[in-house]
Amino acid sequence: SFLAEFSLDVPKLDAMRQGIELYGATRFSPFAIFSSDENTLSRVIAELFDPKGSHGQGLLFVNALLQELGYPRLGPRDAVRVRREAMTRRKRRIDIVIESRDYVIGIENKPWAGQQANQLADYFDELSADLMGRKPILIFLSSQEARTAKEHVHRLPYFAGSGEASLHNLLEAVL
């Protein structure tokens, strides 16, 4: 009887927890995620785009990204899975992969290193395999120009002028 009554309270408790996270971000700690290497930067970016991230803001960041790229936003009930260092069939690693019912989004984070031969083309091929009706989106997070798969890549530099697409401007607009 206790379990039956408690199970009725679970949705209300879950909504209360989500409200606390939305306004307080009680699990978020920037000190736990900052460092100056590419892997740490990828971890920070993945954390922001993960609706279950410690920031407590749900879909806010990933929807801002989709909106910036001109794609429809995800709904509050859409399941989202975020992975880092996703292995491809060609034994490469995509820095961040965000999967939902509608999208397979790959983010290649290149703050300092140069591109490898056919890297972005291989990543787009990987994202396009086994789509199950989803749209593949490849984001090149870099100040560099894409060398391959140019027609499929959304380049998003870290910084750009006011009104231009960049990670900084996207995050600033969300704030």
Side-chain angles (χ1 to χ4, degrees):
S1 136
F2 169 76
L3 287 176
E5 286 182 39
F6 183 72
S7 68
L8 296 175
D9 288 336
V10 169
K12 181 171 56 173
L13 293 170
D14 192 46
M16 287 172 54
R17 181 193 54 77
Q18 287 177 347
I20 290 168
E21 285 297 319
L22 181 63
Y23 294 106
T26 58
R27 297 178 295 134
F28 181 70
S29 171
F31 301 106
I33 56 177
F34 284 114
S35 183
S36 60
D37 61 38
E38 183 176 316
N39 285 331
T40 301
L41 182 56
S42 291
R43 191 172 75 235
V44 171
I45 293 165
E47 176 75 9
L48 288 174
F49 291 136
D50 188 346
K52 297 177 196 142
S54 63
H55 51 74
Q57 303 304 300
L59 292 165
L60 181 68
F61 296 105
V62 73
N63 274 338
L65 177 66
L66 288 169
Q67 185 175 350
E68 180 67 39
L69 300 176
Y71 294 103
R73 298 161 48 104
L74 297 172
R77 296 193 189 273
D78 286 338
V80 177
R81 179 178 176 216
V82 177
R83 296 179 291 143
R84 288 189 44 250
E85 299 295 321
M87 184 68 75
T88 71
R89 285 174 269 237
R90 294 187 178 165
K91 305 296 185 215
R92 292 183 169 203
R93 295 177 190 267
I94 303 174
D95 292 326
I96 302 165
V97 174
I98 305 167
E99 295 180 89
S100 73
R101 178 186 49 148
D102 298 323
Y103 306 109
V104 179
I105 304 168
I107 300 175
E108 177 55 21
N109 178 31
K110 281 279 189 228
W112 303 286
Q115 299 167 59
Q116 299 168 9
N118 294 320
Q119 185 176 18
L120 296 174
D122 287 348
Y123 288 174
F124 188 77
D125 289 346
E126 184 71 24
L127 294 172
S128 299
D130 306 320
L131 287 174
M132 299 180 290
R134 300 178 294 178
K135 171 128 184 87
I137 301 171
L138 178 58
I139 300 167
F140 186 41
L141 188 56
S142 181
S143 298
Q144 304 172 40
E145 294 294 329
R147 289 197 329 225
T148 60
K150 294 177 186 179
E151 66 278 4
H152 300 293
V153 173
H154 295 275
R155 184 178 157 272
L156 190 66
Y158 299 99
F159 296 97
S162 180
E164 296 179 65
S166 73
L167 181 62
H168 176 265
N169 291 344
L170 181 147
L171 296 176
E172 187 174 58
V174 167
L175 291 176

